[in-house]
Amino acid sequence: AALVRQLLRHGKQKTGSDRAACFWVDYAKGELEPMDADDPTQTLGRMPLNEGIAGHVVATRGLVNCEDAYQHPQHYRPMDLRTGYRTRGLLAVPVVLGGQVQAVLQVLNKSGPEGVGTQVYSTTDEATMAGLARVAAMILHVAQTARGVALYKAMVYAPIQVPDRL
């Protein structure tokens, strides 16, 4: 999670965004678990997998670049109500691993000369976030591989106990 947080902060800085978040997909529970890029202690609460722009990105595996989140039919307003944050524009991209969306990266409220949330995300911003999503997928792959290797080693090198009597 720490490396993904670093990626999000980088994406936030490169796109001139006010905030960034990752939504981890939990297919078993049918939920998305949001993670704030800047505050690892902030608990944002889970949301249904089939709701919100992040849920839409999971379902379509496509990027969403939205100038006004409140005009987007999939915007999940309860998240703004929970956090007290007003989402204006956002850019969301899927993190795909093994043909399945594992997470959604989002940057929010691009700053412009008139202030926070006054600028539209560009195709360059889209390419930046899509690239970071590919890096996040590689990080997840390495983490899963390392976990698998550790489990394999534990199984192979575990002491075998043979009962005295068969």
Side-chain angles (χ1 to χ4, degrees):
L3 286 174
V4 173
R5 257 196 192 89
Q6 285 183 321
L7 282 177
L8 285 169
R9 285 193 294 269
H10 180 73
K12 183 176 105 169
Q13 185 263 329
K14 285 292 186 189
T15 60
S17 299
D18 184 48
R19 289 205 181 171
C22 177
F23 290 81
W24 299 104
V25 179
D26 185 339
Y27 287 102
K29 293 182 179 177
E31 295 176 331
L32 292 166
E33 183 177 359
M35 176 186 78
D36 186 272
D38 295 315
D39 186 0
T41 63
Q42 185 176 20
T43 304
L44 300 172
R46 291 175 170 246
M47 60 187 273
L49 180 59
N50 62 346
E51 292 192 27
I53 293 173
H56 178 72
V57 169
V58 172
T60 63
R61 296 179 54 164
L63 171 148
V64 171
N65 184 346
C66 180
E67 185 175 345
D68 183 354
Y70 279 70
Q71 296 302 314
H72 196 285
Q74 273 84 32
H75 179 61
Y76 189 70
R77 290 183 190 205
M79 189 62 70
D80 278 4
L81 294 173
R82 257 186 250 157
T83 62
Y85 185 75
R86 170 68 159 93
T87 303
R88 290 173 181 86
L90 69 82
L91 175 58
V93 295
V95 176
V96 180
L97 179 62
Q100 192 172 43
V101 177
Q102 300 296 318
V104 175
L105 304 183
Q106 277 189 5
V107 286
L108 309 169
N109 296 349
K110 183 178 177 83
S111 294
E114 296 84 34
V116 173
T118 60
Q119 199 74 9
V120 177
Y121 288 102
S122 67
T123 55
T124 301
D125 296 328
E126 291 176 359
T128 296
M129 291 307 295
L132 291 176
R134 287 189 295 278
V135 173
M138 287 187 272
I139 290 169
L140 290 175
H141 176 70
V142 169
Q144 288 177 357
T145 302
R147 209 172 312 135
V149 168
L151 180 61
Y152 173 77
K153 283 183 179 179
M155 288 171 35
V156 169
Y157 297 109
I160 298 174
Q161 295 186 1
V162 180
D164 292 338
R165 290 199 243 159
L166 293 175

